[in-house]
Amino acid sequence: VIQEPDFVSVCDSSDYFEFEIFNAKTGFAYDPFATVKLPPGLYIVPGSCGMSYPVGSAFAAIPDPAVLNGNVYQWNIAAIVAAIAANGLPGVESDPQNSLRIRFRTYTECGFVSNTQIIYGTRGTEPCGRSTNVLNKPGEPLNINGLNPPYGVVVGLQPLGNPANYCGGTQQFLVQMTL
C-alpha cells in the first residue's frame, strides 16, 4: 500500500488510494489480477482508475474494475497491458518491469463505518497453472472526516491451562476486549 487518504467524507469523493503489485519471483507471472475489497458503503468512483507500468512511469487511465460479490473490485492486468498479456509479468530480475501501481478514488454512502479497512490483493499463475504471488494485505483503518476519535476494538486471546495435545482436543482461553 503506497498511499491512502487520512480520512474520507460521507457522501463525497476521496483523494487517491494507491497500491503496488510486483512479481517477487524469478519467472514470469501469467494472468495477473489485482483486487480491492472495500468495506460496505465505500465504492470506487467510476473513471478514476489509473495505472503506472512500469513503476515510475506516468499514470494512465485504465478501465474500471469488475465488481464481484462482497464489494470486491478486480482488475485483469493482462486485459489492460498488452505486453503482460503476451508475455506475463516479468520476474524480480526485470525491475522495474516486474512492478505496477494502481490508483483510484472512492466515494462513501450511508452505511460506511469508520475505522474499517480496505483489503488489497493480487494473484498470478505460473506456467504450470499453479497460483503464484498470492497476497492479501489490509490497509490502514479509514476514518470519517469530522468523527473524532474513531472507535476501535482490541481483542486479547490467552490460552489457559495445558494446551490441547491432539486434533479435536479442547483448550480454554481467556478473552479480553477493549472498546
Side-chain angles (χ1 to χ4, degrees):
V1 179
I2 304 298
Q3 172 184 318
E4 292 183 315
D6 292 331
F7 60 85
V8 294
S9 297
V10 177
C11 301
D12 200 2
S13 297
S14 70
D15 288 333
Y16 279 104
F17 290 82
E18 183 179 327
F19 66 104
E20 182 174 296
I21 65 170
F22 62 93
N23 183 356
K25 296 200 171 194
T26 55
F28 286 82
Y30 300 94
D31 302 319
F33 287 87
T35 61
V36 290
K37 181 177 182 3
L38 301 183
L42 190 66
Y43 304 92
I44 289 181
V45 172
S48 71
C49 302
M51 179 185 291
S52 168
Y53 180 75
V55 164
S57 63
F59 277 89
I62 60 172
D64 292 335
V67 182
L68 309 177
N69 289 334
N71 214 28
V72 174
Y73 291 78
Q74 178 177 270
W75 290 271
N76 178 346
I77 305 304
I80 299 169
V81 181
I84 293 175
N87 304 312
L89 182 62
V92 69
E93 70 282 350
S94 296
D95 184 47
Q97 285 77 20
N98 69 318
S99 302
L100 60 93
R101 290 186 180 175
I102 294 176
R103 71 179 183 183
F104 59 91
R105 294 179 59 178
T106 64
Y107 66 94
T108 58
E109 290 184 350
C110 294
F112 176 74
V113 177
S114 184
N115 216 32
T116 54
Q117 299 167 291
I118 294 177
I119 306 297
Y120 299 87
T122 185
R123 69 178 167 82
T125 305
E126 293 180 341
C128 64
R130 182 175 54 193
S131 290
T132 186
N133 290 300
V134 177
L135 177 67
N136 289 300
K137 181 179 179 180
E140 292 295 319
L142 297 173
N143 300 316
I144 296 176
N145 188 24
L147 193 68
N148 240 348
Y151 65 88
V153 177
V154 177
V155 178
L157 188 64
Q158 191 71 17
L160 297 175
N162 295 326
N165 293 330
Y166 57 91
C167 291
T170 60
Q171 173 72 56
Q172 288 187 341
F173 289 90
L174 172 65
V175 178
Q176 295 176 318
M177 292 179 64
T178 306
L179 301 174

